């Protein structure tokens, strides 16, 4: 059932958005607090901070203690990250400059100053990345018999075999596009790899330009070696890039012409999406139209082979409309995401040791010889899940599959932000709807770069009879929620899952995320109200074990920060422990500065962006910031405070620490423009486990990057004797591997 917006509905939704904006503008606590002004230069620029994060990714690629193929993978991740940064962040900055919106950032930089600083740092980083890959990673791979070859390095039999492959499989796909009075300069799609070719007509002596697009629906790496009959333990894994193969056969595309120059180039375009939702009668159709426009966004970066002549470089820059600052001259091969393809090589000796997740001990404890009963496990105890160490397939995935198959289940309500191809989560919802259950799926079709996938999921769910909605207009629904309503002997019981990560079985093996399975009636009531707010009209809903953005996450966290500040000023124990992907929100950072000034010890684990300045005397000397990057992408969010607010509904008085987990980072987009949910953890042993987890990541014996007051990050990976520090992810792998529970292929 497609959600459409009638005029009365639009009016109501506009009023909801206005209410959200009005509430989020009042970001500070209303209590009277007489503070001295904080320094004006107390924030780092978020874009420069992001580039420093990607620098840490590059440092992993440069870490010779890591397995060789993992280093290549980190080099590919760096390239992928930088692509998205240009397509979204740099594109948005350029759009603000072009439109004349010159509002300074919180760090006091104008858009033009930001653009210059980004350009300078991005050029330096991308140059370092490309040269390190060419000069170190590829030679180190060659030592392991994984070789990227040029055409001239191939033997005659290899050239003959690849020429046959080219004629049969590649040549029919290629389309050379000439530029002359009858053929205008061709459109260059964003992210595509191309060859710029200068050819000379031997009859007229005139030089012409042509463009050849490298097929993006074929592998970039073409195998040179036939390993079918080889002893793979001693085999060479030789490859030639597709563009190198095409370059070596250009005469087949331009017969009778003289090839004067041919170089690779790649264009990055603005690929962010902007949909005027309140003017869209059908959000799904509006998003589809915008996706078509994405391919034609303005150019923001031109990558060229550094061997390109000045004439050809200028021709491309002029025709594509890029400035000199937007041109990146790099050694071939361009687009080093190609290194992802090396991960398919069967060389386990060059990868991380295999890790098989285990079934969560509380779920495994109630498994019968026939099948596990997730509902029975949840009735016994709230279950705290920690992925990928706890198997996603035998917990969250099994929870939804069991709900779909259980005749006692009457309804399932589910948010979907990103999920995998052939998703078992989608299959479970389809099965439930087919079985006659009431199924609601809130599909966020504005999830960046997953829009097309989510539109396809939405349509598949609609065809199965699932009620599909797209949330509140003007807000992305980013919260991770699942609600199952089951008929039991004592009446209806609601089973809930609230998580920090997407319902995506693939990323659940690669990201560290937390989730809580519970049948607490208070949480059930909270989720029922929140789903009603998302699918209907309930803007005044209140919650008890949840903090929900954009209404109460920022204010709730600031209130708890100020409670620690008050405790410290009263001479009581006070501390704050936060684990997030990014911390940018100025109001929250200011509250942390005030708490630090009062003597509160504050530990922050952040993976990506940090606009806060730690360790500054008189402002933040009690704040430490560490960054963890490694085998798994750190994605969970934890907010822990030394002093509890007090009793919860339906519970006795509480004292001691208060801990929350959920989907929200400390960023404007999370706190103002998204629906996010944090859930309070109430079981003492789970509270203790989460606090110990943050402490492990902050411990000086743990390998991490320590943020300095000037914004630089210093890597701490060995002790003073050169002994490697603890890898906290390996610690958790060992802890879960030692469990006396059968392992599960997640």
């Amino acid at each position: 059932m497609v959600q459409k917006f009638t005029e009365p509905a639009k009016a109501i939704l506009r009023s909801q958005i206005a209410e959200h904006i009005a509430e989020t503008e009042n970001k500070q606590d209303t209590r009277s607090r007489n503070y001295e002004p904080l320094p004006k230069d107390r924030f780092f620029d978020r874009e420069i901070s992001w580039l420093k994060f990607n620098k840490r990714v590059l440092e992993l690629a440069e870490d010779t203690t890591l397995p060789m193929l993992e280093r290549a993978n980190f080099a590919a991740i760096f390239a992928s990250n930088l692509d998205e940064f240009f397509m979204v962040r740099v594109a948005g900055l350029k759009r603000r400059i072009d439109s004349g919106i010159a509002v300074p950032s919180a760090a006091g930089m104008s858009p033009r100053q930001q653009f210059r600083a980004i350009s300078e740092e991005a050029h330096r980083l991308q140059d370092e990345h490309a040269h390190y890959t060419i000069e170190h990673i590829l030679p180190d791979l060659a030592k392991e018999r994984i070789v990227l070859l040029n055409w001239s390095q191939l033997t005659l039999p290899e050239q003959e075999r690849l020429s046959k492959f080219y004629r049969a499989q590649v040549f029919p796909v290629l389309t050379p596009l000439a530029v002359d009075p009858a053929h205008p300069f061709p459109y260059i799609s964003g992210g595509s790899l191309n060859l710029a070719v200068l050819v000379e007509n031997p009859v007229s002596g005139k030089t012409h330009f042509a463009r050849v697009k490298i097929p993006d629906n074929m592998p970039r790496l073409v195998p040179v070696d036939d390993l079918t009959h080889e002893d793979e333990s001693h085999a060479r894994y030789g490859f030639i890039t597709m563009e190198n193969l095409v370059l070596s056969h250009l005469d087949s595309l331009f017969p009778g012409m003289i090839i004067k120059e041919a170089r690779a180039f790649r264009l990055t375009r603005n690929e962010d999406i902007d949909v005027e939702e309140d003017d869209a009668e059908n959000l799904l159709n509006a998003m589809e139209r915008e996706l078509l426009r994405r391919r034609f966004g303005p150019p923001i970066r031109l990558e060229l082979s550094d061997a390109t002549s000045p004439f050809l470089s200028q021709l491309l820059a002029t025709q594509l409309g890029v400035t000199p600052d937007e041109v990146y001259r790099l050694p071939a091969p361009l687009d080093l995401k190609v290194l992802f393809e090396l991960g398919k090589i069967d060389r386990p000796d060059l990868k991380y040791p295999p890790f098989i997740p285990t079934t969560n001990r509380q779920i495994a404890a109630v498994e019968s010889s026939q099948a596990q009963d997730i509902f029975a496990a949840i009735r016994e105890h709230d279950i705290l899940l920690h992925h990928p160490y706890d198997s996603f397939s035998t917990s969250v995935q099994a929870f939804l599959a069991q709900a779909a198959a259980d005749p006692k289940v009457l309804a399932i309500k589910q948010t979907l932000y990103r999920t995998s191809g052939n998703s078992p989560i989608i299959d479970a919802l389809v099965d439930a709807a087919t079985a006659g259950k009431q199924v609601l799926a809130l599909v966020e079709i504005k999830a960046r770069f997953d829009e097309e996938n989510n539109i396809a999921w939405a349509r598949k769910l609609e065809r199965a009879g699932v009620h599909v909605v797209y949330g509140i207009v003007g807000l992305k629904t980013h919260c991770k929620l699942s609600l199952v309503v089951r008929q039991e002997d004592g009446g209806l019981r609601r089973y809930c899952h609230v998580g920090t990560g997407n319902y995506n079985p693939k990323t659940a093996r690669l990201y560290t995320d937390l989730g809580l399975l519970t049948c607490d009636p208070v949480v059930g009531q909270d989720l029922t109200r929140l789903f009603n707010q998302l699918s209907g009209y309930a803007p005044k809903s209140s919650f008890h074990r949840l903090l929900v953005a954009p209404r109460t996450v920022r204010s709730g966290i600031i209130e708890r920060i100020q409670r620690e500040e008050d405790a410290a000023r009263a001479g009581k124990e006070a501390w704050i422990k936060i684990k997030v992907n990014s911390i940018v929100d100025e109001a929250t950072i200011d509250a942390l500065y005030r708490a630090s000034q009062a003597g509160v010890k504050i530990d922050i684990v952040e993976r990506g962006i940090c606009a806060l300045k730690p360790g500054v005397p008189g402002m933040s000397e009690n704040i430490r910031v560490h960054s963890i990057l490694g085998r798994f992408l750190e994605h969970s969010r934890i907010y822990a405070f030394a002093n509890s607010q007090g009793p919860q509904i339906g519970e006795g008085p509480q004292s001691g620490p208060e801990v929350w987990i959920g989907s929200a980072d400390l960023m404007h987009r999370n706190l103002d423009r998204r629906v996010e949910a944090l859930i309070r953890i109430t079981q003492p042993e789970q509270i203790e486990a989460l606090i110990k987890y943050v402490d492990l990541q902050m411990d000086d014996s743990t390998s991490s990057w320590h943020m300095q007051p000037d914004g630089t990050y210093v890597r701490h990976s060995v002790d003073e004797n050169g002994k490697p520090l603890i890898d906290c992810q390996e610690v958790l792998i060992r802890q879960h591997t030692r469990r006396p529970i059968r392992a599960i292929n997640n």
Side-chain angles (χ1 to χ4, degrees), residues 498-618:
V498 180
T500 69
N502 297 309
Y503 291 93
N504 187 325
K506 181 179 179 180
T507 57
R509 295 191 292 268
L510 304 173
Y511 293 10
T512 70
D513 270 305
L514 297 163
L516 188 73
L517 287 166
T518 180
C519 60
D520 179 359
V522 175
V523 179
Q525 182 184 60
D526 280 351
L527 259 63
T528 298
R529 289 176 173 175
L530 183 49
F531 272 109
N532 288 345
Q533 183 174 335
L534 293 171
S535 64
Y537 303 118
K540 291 295 185 181
S541 297
S542 59
F543 307 100
H544 303 297
R545 264 185 77 178
L546 295 183
L547 293 175
V548 178
R551 192 181 299 276
T552 60
V553 171
R554 177 189 282 110
S555 60
I557 289 175
I558 289 178
E559 177 185 344
R560 286 157 179 80
I561 293 171
Q562 291 178 335
R563 185 195 310 148
E564 298 303 315
E565 176 192 340
D566 293 342
R569 294 190 188 281
K572 300 177 182 178
E573 180 186 19
W575 50 256
I576 298 168
K577 301 176 191 294
I578 295 174
K579 181 182 184 300
V580 288
N581 293 297
S582 297
I583 174 168
V584 173
D585 183 63
E586 293 85 12
T588 309
I589 291 173
D590 281 351
L592 291 169
Y593 286 153
R594 301 298 188 188
S596 172
Q597 290 174 328
V600 180
K601 299 297 182 182
I602 301 169
D603 285 343
I604 299 173
V605 181
E606 57 84 18
R607 171 175 57 86
I609 305 169
C610 184
L612 177 149
K613 295 185 175 182
V616 177

Side-chain angles (χ1 to χ4, degrees), residues 356-506:
I356 301 176
T358 56
T359 298
N360 178 277
R361 65 177 69 242
Q362 291 175 261
I363 295 174
V366 297
E367 284 186 322
S368 68
S369 59
Q370 314 221 326
Q372 62 185 24
D373 188 342
I374 304 287
F375 296 141
I378 298 171
R379 286 194 295 272
E380 288 186 9
H381 204 278
D382 281 6
I383 299 172
L384 181 65
L385 301 168
H386 196 176
H387 310 300
Y389 315 106
D390 287 324
S391 167
F392 183 85
S393 65
T394 60
S395 55
V396 178
Q397 189 175 316
F399 168 65
L400 288 167
Q402 184 175 333
D406 189 341
K408 292 184 179 180
V409 169
L410 305 180
I412 302 174
K413 300 184 179 185
Q414 178 76 45
T415 62
L416 291 171
Y417 192 75
R418 302 185 198 275
T419 190
S420 62
N422 300 318
S423 170
I425 304 299
I426 299 292
D427 291 343
L429 297 177
V430 168
D431 290 344
T434 304
K437 305 181 193 305
Q438 290 291 314
V439 182
L440 171 74
L442 198 146
V443 181
E444 182 46 79
I445 60 172
K446 302 185 295 297
R448 183 175 289 137
F449 301 121
D450 267 340
E451 300 94 344
E452 291 182 89
N453 289 337
N454 286 3
I455 288 172
W457 290 133
R459 292 221 158 103
K460 179 177 180 178
L461 290 167
E462 288 168 355
R463 288 193 297 269
V466 174
H467 298 286
V468 179
V469 296
Y470 308 113
I472 298 175
V473 172
L475 300 171
K476 280 187 180 180
T477 303
H478 189 250
C479 49
K480 323 300 182 184
L481 310 173
S482 186
L483 173 65
V484 172
V485 182
R486 190 170 188 263
Q487 180 68 60
E488 298 183 356
D489 292 341
L492 294 180
R493 191 191 298 266
R494 289 172 285 200
Y495 294 84
C496 309
H497 175 264
V498 180
T500 69
N502 297 309
Y503 291 93
N504 187 325
K506 181 179 179 180

Side-chain angles (χ1 to χ4, degrees), residues 695-742:
D695 286 343
L696 171 66
Q697 295 206 318
M698 288 297 304
D699 197 282
D700 286 339
S701 65
T702 295
S703 179
S704 62
W705 282 262
H706 295 193
M707 189 179 183
Q708 307 301 301
D710 64 356
T712 58
Y713 285 79
V714 176
R715 191 177 185 191
H716 291 249
S717 58
V718 295
D719 63 16
E720 62 273 10
N721 299 315
K723 181 180 178 181
L725 297 178
I726 293 169
D727 182 326
C728 62
Q729 295 181 350
E730 288 298 320
V731 169
L732 290 167
I733 287 175
R734 289 195 297 271
Q735 288 177 355
H736 283 68
T737 303
R738 287 198 299 266
R739 285 182 178 178
I741 297 171
R742 65 182 179 88

